[in-house]
Amino acid sequence: MAALPKRILKETERLMSDAPPGISAAPNNDNLRHFDVTVAGPDQSPYEGGVFKLELFLPDEYPMNPPKVRFLTRIYHPNIDKLGRICLDILKDKWSPALQIRTVLLSIQALLGAPNPDDPLANDVAQNWKEDEKAAIAQAKEWTRLYANGE
Amino acid sequence: MSSDEDANDYFEYEDDGFEDDEMDQEAPVKKDYDVAYNVKTLSQVIDMQKKAIANIQTVLELDASTAAILLRHFGWNSEKLQEQFFNDPSKALTDAGLSPPSSPSAHTSPLLPPTASSSTPPRITRSSKRVATPATTRSRSAVSIQTSFECPVCCIEYPAASLSTKTLALGCGHRFCRDCWVEYVVGKIRTDGESAKIQCMENGCHRIVKGSLIDQLVDPDTSQRYRKLLNEAFVSDTATLRWCPHPGCENVIECSQAPPRMLNQIVPTVTCGCGNELCFGCGFAASHRPVLCKLVKLWQKKCADDSETANWLQANTKECIKCQSTIEKNGGCNHMTCKKCKWEFCWVCMGPWSEHGTAWYQCNRYDEKSGMDARDSQAKSRASLERYLHYFNRWANHELSAKLDADFYKNTEKKMEAMQQSGNLSWIEVQFAKQAVDTVIRARITLKWSYCMAFYLKRNNQTELFEDNQRDLERAVENLGYLLEQNPEPDSISKLRADITNQSAYVQKRHDILMDDTLKGYLERRWEFSVDI
């Protein structure tokens, strides 16, 4: 494998030494472009108290192209589908090379605090969210308790 | 009829033909349903953009690249741009990804040396939005000695002395190293196909990278691609322009008489400078007259959906109903003669050919009454499939015939050679055959689309008239096709020639009648369709 670019080394270093609150990200030993990530559910959100596992991969074109990020923990959220894929503009067309792993993870954490059912990825969840928000939030809490308990 | 008379007949027609040809070239007769249009070359399209930019430059007193970015942002709508600019210049500029003009700041951040040189465009000094950092208060000379710069994208450090050559920032002041800029811009152009909307690398910054800077950054090949993408964006943003869809042709058609709202009453077929026809309304790479764009789209979708069934039902071969020999149609007309049992039949309806020469020719018309008898839903759906297949088969049949064009021309050429040798005719005297083939092919394309039209027409008197015209044209075309299949015998050449020329003129006439009547029918709102247009 080619040597890691300086940018990735620096980012990794900073993530290890000075991770944002509620977020951890550590490179995989086998592939330093592959990160094991955990994100804590934001306070006052249905995901509060949950610890969500994600995987993050830096493609060869990074940082010109965005990292690939996916939830590994099941989550009931209108912008995250069954496979853990995330609908987030900065991971797609709004990506800027000036963004970093930490900013991406913070954005994902913010997305948990502010679900957007008008721009859905998981259609059934989004529909539920719009029709009966209370029930949807209860469901999200239940899933958080069941799946995001850090085990 | 003596051969002299035949010759006279023939010459009369030949003269007519030439006159018509000349008329077509010099003064094309513009019909009510035709549209006026121009064919523009790529360089003319580039000139159009330059002209629009120059105009805005003068009116709004801006530099050329600013005018260009504004125009691209406003989709080349000069009026809208001028209106918005006069209302609120700074908003217009900011929306378009440019910062409003301001007096050069006395303070300069360490990352923004005003000594921006060759590699950095001069506009750097026009920046108005600066991130306030403690360093801004330091004197410039002290900064340039002490501060090195780390590119936020690649994290490589650049000594202060190389700032002006190795790094650069747009007017927004977001500085990155030159290498990252190059990689970023090349990726945007080559991978994402972006051109007019390439923004600053900073997250959330909408500052547009100007064309002059892109040309400085990228290799000539990418630069050329960038210019090409800009032209494409210009054409697709301009409602009165459309690229010629034919491979290898770079022409653009300009037409202001076919806006989308008119497409329910005109079929704006145009001929590009490359000689090919296209529809200006939908970009279809051939004439689909007399059918409206919307119906063509519906029809194509339907054919794509149902094609498997149709394919299954319509095999490439058919069996002779008399002797069951397998017959493959390899070109020519629909008048088939079984090689084995000599049974003459129509390829389309498989009925005896003898019926086709008489007044009760019904091959083109689907009898809707049989559909009325359908009692349960299954029978109804079967009837609807049958109805569709009726039209689809006829449509596909003409499509297939058109695909055999090349063979048709080749065979005709062979016959023309034979005629020149055996009949002592000159090259120019046998051209009537080629002209007849042209006529047949053109008429077949129209016939093909007429079946799509008929499929969507509601059954009423107007539709009956349409189908009468369709039947007349189809019969005329089959007759002409049959004549063209004949092997010219030396003693019958002049008769055959007269027949073909006569029949060809007749086909032409029937073709024009069908086309005129149908296209005028849209303008007169005579047609009623089973779908919304």
Side-chain angles (χ1 to χ4, degrees):
Chain A
M1 203 175 89
L4 282 184
K6 193 176 170 199
R7 152 106 183 218
I8 296 179
L9 289 173
K10 279 196 95 159
E11 277 202 66
T12 309
E13 209 172 277
R14 181 142 179 244
L15 279 169
M16 304 289 279
S17 64
D18 175 26
I23 288 173
S24 79
N28 204 304
N29 284 335
D30 302 331
N31 184 347
L32 295 175
R33 286 176 174 269
H34 196 145
F35 289 73
D36 297 316
V37 177
T38 63
V39 172
D43 293 349
Q44 269 100 52
S45 80
Y47 313 101
E48 184 176 359
V51 177
F52 296 88
K53 287 192 183 131
L54 293 90
E55 59 177 354
L56 180 147
F57 181 73
L58 304 175
D60 284 347
E61 298 81 13
Y62 182 83
M64 290 306 159
N65 284 7
K68 299 185 188 307
V69 198
R70 189 170 79 91
F71 270 83
L72 297 173
T73 307
R74 282 189 78 179
I75 180 165
Y76 196 80
H77 189 288
N79 310 106
I80 299 160
D81 74 359
K82 258 190 281 195
L83 299 172
R85 294 177 299 191
I86 307 161
C87 179
L88 186 61
D89 56 358
I90 58 158
L91 292 176
K92 308 260 159 44
D93 55 315
K94 291 286 190 303
W95 171 252
S96 146
L99 287 166
Q100 300 179 2
I101 299 173
R102 64 188 296 122
T103 43
V104 165
L105 296 178
L106 283 167
S107 298
I108 289 172
Q109 199 179 34
L111 185 68
L112 294 186
N116 178 11
D118 292 322
D119 182 19
L121 186 61
N123 277 320
D124 49 333
V125 178
Q127 202 176 342
N128 224 351
W129 214 277
K130 283 172 102 164
E131 282 169 3
D132 188 352
E133 196 177 333
K134 239 184 197 166
I137 287 173
Q139 179 89 320
K141 280 184 178 161
E142 176 69 4
W143 280 33
T144 305
R145 195 178 61 78
L146 280 175
Y147 306 114
N149 48 19
E151 278 167 19
Chain B
M1 211 188 259
S2 79
S3 59
D4 276 349
E5 273 168 14
D6 283 346
N8 282 341
D9 273 1
Y10 156 66
F11 278 119
E12 269 169 35
Y13 278 112
E14 184 78 23
D15 284 343
D16 280 1
F18 275 124
E19 265 170 33
D20 280 353
D21 274 355
E22 275 169 24
M23 289 256 301
D24 278 346
Q25 280 165 9
E26 282 169 11
V29 188
K30 197 178 164 293
K31 305 250 172 69
D32 294 345
Y33 46 77
D34 277 332
V35 289
Y37 62 93
N38 296 310
V39 180
K40 304 247 174 208
T41 61
L42 189 58
S43 61
Q44 283 173 314
V45 170
I46 293 168
D47 285 345
M48 282 172 82
Q49 296 172 63
K50 282 186 187 154
K51 233 171 112 184
I53 292 168
N55 179 38
I56 286 297
Q57 228 183 314
T58 334
V59 177
L60 304 183
E61 295 177 331
L62 298 164
D63 63 288
S65 58
T66 307
I69 288 174
L70 279 168
L71 272 167
R72 283 175 200 137
H73 176 73
F74 285 96
W76 294 91
N77 186 337
S78 292
E79 289 86 46
K80 195 175 151 202
L81 159 60
Q82 288 179 35
E83 194 189 305
Q84 304 239 343
F85 192 86
F86 285 129
N87 273 346
D88 189 348
S90 33
K91 187 178 181 296
L93 285 166
T94 312
D95 285 355
L98 295 153
S99 58
S102 62
S103 53
S105 166
H107 295 293
T108 310
S109 89
L111 306 184
L112 267 173
T115 49
S117 65
S118 57
S119 70
T120 321
R123 70 186 73 91
I124 194 166
T125 52
R126 271 200 11 217
S127 161
S128 63
K129 207 173 102 192
R130 297 271 157 75
V131 184
T133 64
T136 35
T137 50
R138 284 187 229 157
S139 81
R140 200 198 311 150
S141 57
V143 162
S144 50
I145 294 163
Q146 290 174 1
T147 317
S148 64
F149 169 74
E150 186 189 287
C151 170
V153 170
C154 61
C155 296
I156 290 169
E157 274 190 38
Y158 290 87
S162 65
L163 272 193
S164 59
T165 51
K166 294 276 183 16
T167 75
L168 60 102
L170 306 180
C172 52
H174 301 121
R175 182 161 293 270
F176 302 95
C177 78
R178 195 186 161 88
D179 291 347
C180 283
W181 271 117
V182 171
E183 197 183 334
Y184 171 75
V185 170
V186 170
K188 284 281 175 198
I189 296 168
R190 294 225 156 251
T191 315
D192 304 341
E194 281 186 32
S195 56
K197 296 190 168 62
I198 301 177
Q199 298 179 335
C200 170
M201 275 198 276
E202 182 57 44
N203 179 38
C205 179
H206 301 301
R207 186 82 183 194
I208 298 287
V209 187
K210 289 189 181 183
S212 49
L213 177 61
I214 286 177
D215 287 339
Q216 286 176 40
L217 288 173
V218 304
D219 55 291
D221 197 41
T222 308
S223 177
Q224 211 175 349
R225 173 131 180 79
Y226 170 69
R227 297 283 154 196
K228 203 177 157 205
L229 288 165
L230 280 182
N231 287 331
E232 280 171 14
F234 169 69
V235 173
S236 66
D237 279 350
T238 312
T240 54
L241 296 179
R242 183 182 280 286
W243 291 102
C244 171
H246 292 279
C249 179
E250 286 194 326
N251 288 340
V252 170
I253 313 290
E254 185 185 35
C255 173
S256 54
Q257 296 180 348
R261 69 189 152 77
M262 290 283 287
L263 294 179
N264 61 354
Q265 45 180 315
I266 56 167
V267 185
T269 305
V270 299
T271 308
C272 177
C274 66
N276 291 304
E277 288 188 319
L278 64 131
C279 173
F280 187 85
C282 62
F284 193 81
S287 167
H288 61 64
R289 274 187 170 172
V291 186
L292 294 174
C293 298
K294 182 158 180 209
L295 294 177
V296 169
K297 203 163 268 172
L298 282 175
W299 177 252
Q300 284 184 309
K301 189 166 177 286
K302 180 151 188 73
C303 293
D305 291 349
D306 290 356
S307 60
E308 284 314 303
T309 328
N311 285 346
W312 178 73
L313 285 158
Q314 192 205 29
N316 292 315
T317 59
K318 293 184 181 180
E319 285 182 358
C320 170
I321 52 167
K322 290 274 173 194
C323 69
Q324 274 77 47
S325 303
T326 306
I327 298 168
E328 186 198 359
K329 185 166 143 69
N330 57 5
C333 74
N334 289 323
H335 180 181
M336 307 295 286
T337 308
C338 177
K339 275 241 163 84
K340 206 169 159 196
C341 69
K342 309 289 177 207
W343 166 247
E344 289 182 50
F345 63 94
C346 166
W347 179 254
V348 176
C349 68
M350 297 302 280
W353 187 256
S354 54
E355 287 180 16
H356 286 66
T358 68
W360 23 284
Y361 177 82
Q362 291 287 323
C363 180
N364 71 323
R365 183 167 301 176
Y366 181 75
D367 191 3
E368 203 122 334
K369 273 191 195 121
S370 61
M372 304 283 273
D373 294 334
R375 290 213 176 112
D376 53 271
S377 66
Q378 196 191 4
K380 259 184 198 155
S381 75
R382 197 180 296 141
S384 118
L385 178 65
E386 267 181 33
R387 178 178 185 273
Y388 163 67
L389 285 176
H390 167 89
Y391 291 109
F392 177 77
N393 282 338
R394 279 154 186 77
W395 183 86
N397 207 52
H398 285 296
E399 169 107 325
L400 182 70
S401 299
K403 275 190 185 143
L404 296 168
D405 273 4
D407 289 345
F408 198 4
Y409 274 117
K410 222 166 146 189
N411 288 339
T412 309
E413 238 161 61
K414 270 187 205 152
K415 278 178 194 155
M416 283 159 68
E417 272 171 34
M419 281 189 272
Q420 284 179 57
Q421 282 161 10
S422 61
N424 283 326
L425 295 171
S426 69
W427 178 84
I428 198 99
E429 283 170 316
V430 295
Q431 289 310 303
F432 73 93
K434 194 183 163 290
Q435 280 164 12
V437 174
D438 288 341
T439 307
V440 167
I441 287 167
R442 224 159 67 86
R444 277 200 191 282
I445 293 171
T446 303
L447 274 174
K448 176 178 92 172
W449 287 111
S450 74
Y451 280 107
C452 163
M453 175 96 179
F455 177 75
Y456 289 111
L457 277 174
K458 276 189 188 163
R459 287 230 73 86
N460 54 28
N461 288 344
Q462 292 296 338
T463 302
E464 298 252 331
L465 288 174
F466 174 80
E467 289 185 330
D468 286 345
N469 281 331
Q470 184 189 39
R471 177 203 57 207
D472 289 346
L473 175 59
E474 183 147 54
R475 190 162 50 182
V477 169
E478 293 307 341
N479 282 342
L480 180 55
Y482 176 73
L483 287 175
L484 285 166
E485 295 271 302
Q486 300 303 302
N487 279 318
E489 302 298 332
D491 49 341
S492 66
I493 283 184
S494 57
K495 166 138 176 47
L496 184 62
R497 187 168 63 173
D499 286 349
I500 288 178
T501 316
N502 274 328
Q503 189 64 30
S504 183
Y506 180 65
V507 168
Q508 189 67 54
K509 205 175 127 203
R510 296 299 337 165
H511 179 262
D512 291 350
I513 288 172
L514 177 72
M515 202 64 117
D516 273 22
D517 183 66
T518 312
L519 293 172
K520 277 184 187 151
Y522 290 124
L523 301 174
E524 295 159 9
R525 309 202 179 262
R526 249 192 287 137
W527 307 120
E528 284 179 45
F529 293 100
S530 55
V531 289
D532 263 355
I533 54 159

